[in-house]
DNA sequence: ATGACATTTGCAAAATGA
């Protein structure tokens, strides 16, 4: 079972890449982020045409997440948005579904820049809400995959230049500590389990020729619960999609677990 | 410190991103 997370940066602008990906890689589950589109504007017929169906949690202009599965093997929707006191949070950043015996979440963490503003506070608060929900998910003692754009660079190994990014919200000590607090509940970072060291990038900025000089970082993560980690077969990044025409700034990042 | 570039909204230039 191949589970993929792909921050599209606009589903309408990215339809050729999305359909291509479904055709070529045929993922069992595709978690999308930043579809930047209200539910009623999603090009759903083109997704159907590629043989997929989805649960959508869109938003006009920005954010927006989804979980796609092949038609005829529908996922069962479990929830949209994170639980928590923050009922005024209208950002579409979380959706959770059940695919076979596996729970899969597609999440889009707040970026949090600039540091020192309410945006950074919102990021940390969101991570805390996610931490609490992740505990509940672990308590179910079943295979769970937390897949998405976490907007956290976990360590200095995960960025082309720690110095260049030193003041970015993605790698502040508070962001990293919050990520670790979740990880240390008992989750396995699938990419680091497969590639214990060295650079593995999932994002390359559009500016300054970052992709051409391979100046990227790792912010798209798939966290596996213990029983999902027991079934880990492989993981990777489909980097070639980042080099194609009209590419997203993120590359599809995936894990394969025993079916 | 700024902007490099990209997408969306709305139809110019601002908001958002990372």
């Amino acid at each position: 079972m191949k589970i993929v997370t792909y921050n599209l940066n606009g589903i309408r602008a990215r339809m050729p890449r999305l359909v291509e990906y479904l055709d070529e890689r045929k993922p069992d589950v595709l978690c999308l982020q930043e579809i930047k589109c209200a539910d009623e504007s999603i090009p759903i017929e083109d997704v159907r045409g590629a043989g997929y169906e989805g649960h959508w949690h869109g938003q006009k202009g920005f954010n927006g997440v989804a979980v796609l599965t092949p038609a005829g093997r529908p996922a069962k929707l479990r929830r949209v948005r994170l639980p928590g006191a923050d009922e005024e949070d209208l950002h579409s950043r979380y959706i959770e579904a059940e695919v076979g015996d596996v729970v899969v979440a597609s999440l889009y963490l707040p970026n949090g820049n600039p540091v020192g503003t309410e945006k950074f506070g919102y990021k940390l608060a969101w991570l805390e809400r996610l931490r609490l929900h992740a505990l509940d998910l672990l308590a179910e003692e079943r295979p769970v995959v937390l897949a998405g754009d976490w907007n956290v660079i976990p360590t200095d190994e995960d960025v082309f230049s720690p110095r260049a990014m030193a003041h970015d919200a993605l790698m502040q000590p508070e962001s990293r500590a919050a990520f670790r607090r979740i990880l240390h509940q008992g989750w396995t970072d699938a990419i680091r389990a497969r590639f214990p060291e060295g650079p593995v990038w999932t994002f390359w900025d559009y500016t300054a020729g970052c992709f051409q000089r391979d100046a990227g970082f790792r912010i798209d993560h798939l966290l596996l619960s213990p029983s999902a980690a027991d079934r880990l077969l492989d993981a990777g990044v489909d980097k070639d999609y980042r080099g194609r025409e009209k590419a997203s700034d993120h590359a599809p990042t995936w894990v394969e677990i025993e079916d």
Side-chain angles (χ1 to χ4, degrees), chain A residues 63-108:
Chain A
N63 303 328
V65 289
V67 176
L68 307 190
T69 53
R73 279 194 281 153
K76 184 178 157 200
L77 183 64
R78 276 170 53 110
R79 66 158 54 249
V80 294
R81 72 183 83 250
L82 280 174
D86 205 349
E87 298 298 328
E88 285 165 24
D89 184 6
L90 300 177
H91 288 199
S92 297
R93 295 182 176 275
Y94 188 89
I95 189 168
E96 182 183 299
E98 214 169 285
V99 186
D101 67 335
V102 183
V103 176
V104 179
S106 175
L107 63 94
Y108 175 49

Side-chain angles (χ1 to χ4, degrees), chain A residues 22 24 34 43 75 98 155:
Chain A
L22 295 172
E24 293 171 4
E34 278 206 274
E98 214 169 285
T155 74

